[in-house]
Amino acid sequence: MPASEFAPGLAIQGFTPPLSLKDFQLIAFDMDSTLINIECVDEIADAVGMKEQVAAITEAAMRGEIPDYKESLRRRVALLEGVTVADMERVYTERLQLNPGAEALVQACKAAGLKTLLVSGGFTFFTDRIRDRLGIDYTRSNVLEVRSGPNCGELTGRMVDQPWGDICDGAEKRKMLLETCAQLGISPKQAIAVGDGANDLPMMGEAGLSVAYHAKPKVREQAMVAIHRGGLDRLLELFA
């Protein structure tokens, strides 16, 4: 079914508004280019003069042109070797901003009783801070390995395996959404999933409401809601 324009810059397909936030119990967000304004891996790479190369891989991965997301992320992280923790701190303080409407949407959902989940192919250095800043309940993302000993405080170009697995890709985002729903005792159809890239599609496909925010074409086409003008809080226009 083709999407129809509900309001300027806000398209819907597969349902008729208004909805009720009370019908949902969980909202899951991607981070990079969804909750925040940047792709963190690209900005980290700028510290070692590799932004152009890394950004090209990121763009291809988000468009779904690289089928193996894990391999694409390993390739990008390998190019970050030598970046310092101080470099990443500068990315956070000088370049990273919440996207317009992010805080308003999160707070409205929390006020309506929804739990919040942040699932990211990015890194805990940033997701933990966004979690604390917005009061998000659950997170899953990747851990960058940092050297100890000589050159301590520099990235090694590798990631650290975690108890749940190695890399948070699209399959892991879907798994985390389903696990969180099970933990809460709710159906995935009581969840909202918000993202912008191809690796968000697996979790968006499980949710009762899928939302594409300033997203890649493939994601806009498959989402039930596509916001292509304005902030994240435009989603609230669909709720009574």
Side-chain angles (χ1 to χ4, degrees), residues 71-86:
E71 182 56 30
S72 83
L73 188 58
R74 288 190 187 100
R75 284 168 56 194
R76 285 175 281 166
V77 169
L79 295 172
L80 304 182
E81 184 176 3
V83 170
T84 68
V85 172

Side-chain angles (χ1 to χ4, degrees), residues 69-199:
Y69 178 85
K70 289 187 178 184
E71 182 56 30
S72 83
L73 188 58
R74 288 190 187 100
R75 284 168 56 194
R76 285 175 281 166
V77 169
L79 295 172
L80 304 182
E81 184 176 3
V83 170
T84 68
V85 172
D87 292 328
M88 293 198 293
E89 186 70 38
R90 281 191 290 274
V91 170
Y92 180 78
T93 58
E94 297 174 10
R95 303 189 185 191
L96 186 152
Q97 298 177 11
L98 293 175
N99 267 330
E103 188 166 12
L105 176 58
V106 170
Q107 295 310 315
C109 289
K110 289 168 69 72
L114 280 72
K115 293 295 186 180
T116 51
L117 167 65
L118 173 56
V119 277
S120 174
F123 311 113
T124 52
F125 184 91
F126 301 100
T127 57
D128 287 357
R129 295 170 185 223
I130 297 302
R131 173 199 64 200
D132 295 346
R133 190 165 165 181
L134 292 175
I136 287 173
D137 297 297
Y138 312 99
T139 62
R140 180 151 293 177
S141 59
N142 304 303
V143 178
L144 291 166
E145 186 179 65
V146 179
R147 284 194 178 94
S148 57
N151 299 319
C152 64
E154 288 186 357
L155 300 186
T156 66
R158 295 185 297 271
M159 288 169 284
V160 179
D161 288 354
Q162 298 179 74
W164 48 262
D166 55 355
I167 289 175
C168 186
D169 60 353
E172 187 61 36
K173 289 187 178 196
R174 174 183 177 273
K175 178 185 169 189
M176 184 59 177
L177 176 76
L178 294 176
E179 286 180 353
T180 305
C181 288
Q183 181 179 337
L184 294 172
I186 64 172
S187 163
K189 299 308 174 188
Q190 294 173 280
I192 303 168
V194 188
D196 75 298
N199 62 328

Side-chain angles (χ1 to χ4, degrees), residues 14-118:
F15 72 99
T16 302
L19 302 173
S20 172
L21 267 180
K22 294 180 181 179
D23 292 332
F24 298 93
Q25 297 294 316
L26 174 71
I27 185 164
F29 294 97
D30 169 52
M31 183 179 72
D32 294 54
S33 298
T34 299
L35 274 182
I36 66 173
N37 64 320
I38 59 172
E39 293 286 337
C40 290
V41 67
D42 298 355
E43 302 305 319
I44 298 169
D46 199 24
V48 284
M50 299 297 289
K51 182 175 181 178
E52 185 175 344
Q53 295 92 321
V54 169
I57 301 171
T58 300
E59 179 68 13
M62 292 303 99
R63 287 183 174 274
E65 296 164 3
I66 300 176
D68 188 341
Y69 178 85
K70 289 187 178 184
E71 182 56 30
S72 83
L73 188 58
R74 288 190 187 100
R75 284 168 56 194
R76 285 175 281 166
V77 169
L79 295 172
L80 304 182
E81 184 176 3
V83 170
T84 68
V85 172
D87 292 328
M88 293 198 293
E89 186 70 38
R90 281 191 290 274
V91 170
Y92 180 78
T93 58
E94 297 174 10
R95 303 189 185 191
L96 186 152
Q97 298 177 11
L98 293 175
N99 267 330
E103 188 166 12
L105 176 58
V106 170
Q107 295 310 315
C109 289
K110 289 168 69 72
L114 280 72
K115 293 295 186 180
T116 51
L117 167 65
L118 173 56

